[in-house]
Amino acid sequence: MGDPLFYPFELEKYLEDLLPDRDELLLEMEKAALEETIPVVTPSVGNFLQLLIEICGSRSVLEIGTAIGYSTMYLAQGVRKTGGKVVTVDMNRGRMERAVKYLQRAGLDGQVEFSIENALHCLPKISGPFDFIFMDAAKGEYDQYLDLLIPLVNDGGILVIDNVLFRGWVVPGSAYDAKYNTMVSVMRNFLDRLVHLPGFKVSILPFGDGLAIARKER
Ligand SMILES: C[S@@+](CC[C@H](N)C(=O)[O-])C[C@H]1O[C@@H](n2cnc3c(N)ncnc32)[C@H](O)[C@@H]1O
């Protein structure tokens, strides 16, 4: 058997090296996230989110799971080009306050509405629809978010979901610690549901920690 670690760090590092240089603020956020083990998207995923918003011309963007605002920076850069807005939700007040400060320092806070709430409570009340939704909060709640987010995706809009390959451990035959058994099977079941979701076309991209893109058909 080969390397038990499926998560392709070398590939991710190489993709990162191919990106344009990131500014000091993004590098500072990456350092903080790494030091405090706050799981944020990889730079190549952030770059992709921004590009996708620009390609699709998405104007109304919703993010579930802000943390300190690293992915929000890329989403906000995207909507700055399309003339749109990002609504970002996280229930951790301390992290959200840091996100607000980072976005202010980047001059991007005008593009973003920050909501300190539990997504499971606020999503049923939120006014949509959205052209682009990025789902990146608690993996164990992905099924519940999906139920609440399906009606919030605009016709032709897209739902992007992070961590769907869960370090590659969802791949049958991969080796991982037994303590992750439940989470691996939760994610496998979630992916199985997602790829069969009526009214959506889905593609899974194996970079970062695995990104799913689901487009609601018009
Ligand atoms: C993986 S981090 C988000 C990382 C961020 N998207 C980035 O890439 O920079 C997940 C975040 O989701 C938040 N979270 C978890 N469950 C939540 C819920 N039910 N409602 C709102 N936020 C939640 C956590 O507080 C955490 O900050």
Side-chain angles (χ1 to χ4, degrees):
M1 194 169 171
D3 187 346
L5 198 64
F6 275 64
Y7 189 63
F9 290 105
E10 293 80 8
L11 170 65
E12 210 50 38
K13 179 78 183 70
Y14 179 61
L15 294 178
E16 184 181 327
D17 290 344
L18 294 174
L19 292 174
D21 286 341
R22 299 186 296 290
D23 64 27
E24 287 300 319
L25 192 55
L26 282 175
L27 296 175
E28 182 184 324
M29 293 174 84
E30 287 166 21
K31 188 164 174 280
L34 191 67
E35 282 172 4
E36 299 170 47
T37 1
I38 298 170
V40 300
V41 294
T42 62
S44 57
V45 168
N47 182 71
F48 179 71
L49 294 174
Q50 180 180 339
L51 187 63
L52 202 53
I53 287 177
E54 291 179 28
I55 292 169
C56 300
S58 313
R59 290 171 57 86
S60 49
V61 174
L62 172 66
E63 175 179 55
I64 307 302
T66 321
I68 59 168
Y70 183 72
S71 51
T72 322
M73 295 277 266
Y74 290 97
L75 301 177
Q77 296 274 14
V79 295
R80 184 147 73 177
K81 290 267 170 57
T82 63
K85 280 259 178 196
V86 179
V87 176
T88 187
V89 179
D90 200 296
M91 62 184 186
N92 183 316
R93 178 171 294 276
R95 286 186 179 178
M96 187 62 106
E97 284 170 357
R98 292 171 69 186
V100 173
K101 287 191 184 129
Y102 280 124
L103 271 292
Q104 280 171 344
R105 284 173 60 192
L108 287 166
D109 52 310
Q111 252 76 47
V112 184
E113 184 186 317
F114 301 89
S115 172
I116 307 172
E117 284 200 75
N118 185 328
L120 298 177
H121 301 157
C122 76
L123 288 178
K125 299 175 282 173
I126 211 160
S127 63
F130 293 89
D131 300 329
F132 185 106
I133 300 180
F134 181 49
M135 188 174 128
D136 188 23
K139 290 189 245 304
E141 294 178 347
Y142 271 18
D143 260 311
Q144 293 169 79
Y145 302 146
L146 189 60
D147 290 335
L148 296 168
L149 290 173
I150 288 170
L152 289 173
V153 185
N154 222 343
D155 289 343
I158 57 177
L159 178 59
V160 180
I161 304 160
D162 196 25
N163 307 112
V164 293
L165 296 181
F166 195 29
R167 304 174 206 178
W169 295 339
V170 292
V171 180
S174 64
Y176 53 85
D177 195 303
K179 69 182 177 190
Y180 296 111
N181 280 346
T182 306
M183 197 45 74
V184 168
S185 84
V186 162
M187 198 52 87
R188 278 188 191 141
N189 291 339
F190 174 78
L191 269 181
D192 189 49
R193 176 185 176 198
L194 187 72
V195 297
H196 295 106
L197 205 59
F200 282 81
K201 272 198 181 130
V202 179
S203 192
I204 315 282
L205 305 178
F207 76 116
D209 196 24
L211 214 57
I213 311 222
R215 181 167 194 252
K216 195 180 207 172
E217 295 183 279
R218 288 181 198 278

